[in-house]
Amino acid sequence: MKTRSLAILFLVGTGISGCTFEDGKPWGEVVFELQSDFDRDDRGDDWLQTSKDYDVVLTTLKLDLTTIDLNIAGEEGVLSFDPANPPEGYSLCHNGHCHAADGSLVAYETISAELAVGGTGETLVGAVDATIDFLNPSEIPVDCGSCEVGRGTLAAFTMRASRIRIEGTAFDRRLAPRIPEDGLPFTIDMPLTAEASQTLTGEREIGRDTPVGILVPGYFTIHARLLDQIDFANLHGTQMDLLEALETSISIERFEP
Amino acid sequence: MKTADWPDETEVHMKKHLSIALALVLGMSLTACGDEHDDHEDNNHANHTNVETPEEEACEHMEEGPFQDVTAAEDSTGTLENIAVPHTRMDVALAGEGADRGGVVSFEASEAGEYTFYLSQDVGFELADSNAMVLTPEASAGPVSLCATAILATHTFDLQVGTYTITMGPADLETLAVIFEAGEHEH
């Protein structure tokens, strides 16, 4: 009798452990295929116009990336917010963005990502720790270990940067130039705490009936409007908001390894 | 070479989020395979875009904000406040006294294209590039029918990427509310 009970317990136990343990496969296995990119925003090919009336010839635009995370919400973690009832810290949501308390406009996707990151679930942390060139688009290496994730819903993607380096030469378009007429060579090399998130869409579910392979392709794009934030006549007074000029375009594709 | 070498504590803040430590995978895996959760109904409204006309946008922001106060300079020789803040009603405090109030602000256009300025009062509104060349509006009109008491004048200009000065007045008005909407962009 005791033996039969143990047998039943064993069978129940193996049943609970689920199919992932039976065949040795994880619920999901992530593969990153990420690239850097630079968008000139139709401001010229070699000389980039800025809204402060400068022309800039860029020679370097690099970011030190530290980590890239994937947040997997628990199965009950459906991410949502109603623009008619903006989440705390926001007001007046419409046309794809909400007004933050500081007056900035924040896209619905970013707000959803915030909610996701703050939710309960698992986070796959991918280490990058590399300097990424944005003028010469390159692949971004991500070390996520086994890259295995549990079941749930792929929710958000977060990228963190720790330093930016911009080099080039600036020219003044004004008749009364504010910097040397033959151009001002410059270097901006500064640490930063930068964190950009994006809500994920597409085949987000990770479960028994979904492919194990999770390909995460995408681009990190810095727009030329980043240069609008720089007054080359007063470099040390420049304040930069990288998020305003950084676009993440991440998608999900599923496959059977 | 001029170098901007910020101190280490300098930080460029993007959006700050809470991070979550790596959670237990095992716990999630123990749930049975057969109880597959129903497909989540995507309640995320992120992609729900209410298509609004520029006039609807302008009326909404003129009446509901958000609002930002700026002060116009008496002339264009000093530092000018930039009113190119999207989707925000800029309440421009005019300089001077009485019926001669007016002033100058700047507008940094980040994209080439059509820009329409919506004004709370029909007052003088002159836009010039950074070399003081005055631009002729592509179009000007009176009150916007959707909010005829809130927006009394509009002016549309074709702008390039760059900084412009806007001279307002004279008017017997302490504050002029201004909203801009970017229209068709050049490509």
Side-chain angles (χ1 to χ4, degrees):
Chain A
M1 190 69 177
K2 187 176 180 180
T3 302
R4 195 168 70 178
S5 296
L6 286 173
I8 292 171
L9 184 62
F10 175 77
L11 290 173
V12 170
T14 54
I16 288 174
S17 64
C19 57
T20 56
F21 291 151
E22 286 179 352
D23 60 11
K25 288 183 179 178
W27 288 100
E29 192 169 337
V30 176
V31 176
F32 290 100
E33 283 188 2
L34 304 174
Q35 286 207 321
S36 62
D37 197 11
F38 179 65
D39 189 334
R40 294 178 176 272
D41 293 337
D42 297 317
R43 289 164 176 245
D45 294 329
D46 298 323
W47 297 48
L48 297 165
Q49 294 181 328
T50 83
S51 68
K52 287 185 167 58
D53 294 330
Y54 294 101
D55 286 329
V56 178
V57 178
L58 273 186
T59 56
T60 300
L61 178 57
K62 293 179 178 177
L63 275 185
D64 286 359
L65 299 187
T66 55
T67 59
I68 287 170
D69 298 348
L70 268 188
N71 179 264
I72 296 100
E75 290 186 283
E76 296 175 357
V78 177
L79 300 173
S80 68
F81 75 97
D82 183 356
N85 295 294
E88 188 176 348
Y90 296 94
S91 62
L92 189 59
C93 296
H94 69 138
N95 260 12
H97 60 253
C98 295
H99 295 270
D102 63 2
S104 62
L105 296 172
V106 185
Y108 287 174
E109 291 81 358
T110 302
I111 296 170
S112 287
E114 284 179 40
L115 299 176
V117 173
T120 58
E122 170 191 353
T123 298
L124 175 70
V125 180
V128 181
D129 294 325
T131 299
I132 306 300
D133 189 344
F134 280 76
L135 285 187
N136 300 294
S138 54
E139 190 166 336
I140 298 171
V142 183
D143 180 1
C144 51
S146 68
C147 302
E148 294 178 1
V149 292
R151 70 186 304 181
T153 304
L154 290 160
F157 178 97
T158 302
M159 178 220 78
R160 295 177 182 82
S162 62
R163 195 169 195 90
I164 188 169
R165 184 176 180 85
I166 311 173
E167 293 178 324
T169 303
F171 300 86
D172 202 334
R173 300 211 311 269
R174 295 188 181 176
L175 294 178
R178 296 156 289 178
I179 56 177
E181 289 189 60
D182 55 352
L184 176 72
F186 69 91
T187 296
I188 293 174
D189 188 357
M190 57 193 291
L192 52 81
T193 301
E195 190 167 306
S197 295
Q198 178 194 321
T199 297
L200 296 170
T201 58
E203 298 178 66
R204 303 188 305 153
E205 298 298 317
I206 307 170
R208 188 184 63 175
D209 299 326
T210 59
V212 171
I214 304 167
L215 180 64
V216 183
Y219 289 90
F220 295 155
T221 303
I222 294 180
H223 288 264
R225 64 174 180 269
L226 178 70
L227 302 172
D228 290 348
Q229 301 174 18
I230 306 171
D231 184 353
F232 293 95
N234 181 26
L235 271 177
H236 286 278
T238 300
Q239 294 184 335
M240 300 186 75
D241 179 359
L242 185 60
L243 181 62
E244 197 281 326
L246 178 69
E247 178 185 2
T248 59
S249 177
I250 310 299
S251 58
I252 300 170
E253 296 174 14
R254 305 302 289 271
F255 66 98
E256 288 295 351
Chain B
M1 177 177 290
K2 193 166 185 178
T3 300
D5 192 12
W6 276 262
D8 283 348
E9 61 270 23
T10 303
E11 293 181 341
V12 176
H13 289 283
M14 295 174 62
K15 206 69 189 174
K16 287 189 174 178
H17 305 286
L18 294 174
S19 295
I20 299 175
L22 191 63
L24 288 174
V25 178
L26 180 60
M28 299 180 71
S29 301
L30 282 175
T31 54
C33 290
D35 63 345
E36 198 60 36
H37 196 279
D38 292 339
D39 287 340
H40 292 302
E41 182 182 349
D42 188 0
N43 288 327
N44 188 343
H45 295 263
N47 296 321
H48 291 195
T49 302
N50 298 319
V51 178
E52 293 182 335
T53 65
E55 288 75 18
E56 288 172 333
E57 273 277 313
C59 287
E60 185 173 342
H61 290 300
M62 185 65 86
E63 293 170 339
E64 300 177 22
F67 311 99
Q68 186 171 326
D69 292 332
V70 296
T71 301
E74 289 189 8
D75 55 48
S76 60
T77 57
T79 301
L80 304 177
E81 292 202 55
N82 174 27
I83 66 165
V85 183
H87 308 291
T88 301
R89 190 180 99 181
M90 307 301 289
D91 291 329
V92 184
L94 302 180
E97 293 182 354
D100 291 329
R101 287 192 179 94
V104 187
V105 294
S106 71
F107 184 86
E108 293 185 12
S110 59
E111 294 179 79
E114 205 170 71
Y115 289 78
T116 299
F117 296 87
Y118 298 86
L119 313 182
S120 61
Q121 297 290 330
D122 188 4
V123 302
F125 190 86
E126 186 178 270
L127 190 142
D129 67 17
S130 56
N131 294 319
M133 180 179 290
V134 176
L135 277 66
T136 302
E138 299 284 312
S140 291
V144 171
S145 58
L146 287 171
C147 54
T149 59
I151 296 176
L152 299 190
T154 68
H155 302 285
T156 301
F157 295 88
D158 201 7
L159 304 182
Q160 301 300 313
V161 173
T163 301
Y164 295 83
T165 58
I166 296 173
T167 304
M168 294 158 287
D172 189 3
L173 192 68
E174 291 187 358
T175 302
L176 177 67
V178 183
I179 289 167
F180 83 90
E181 294 291 336
E184 296 177 6
H185 295 160
E186 289 184 352
H187 290 290

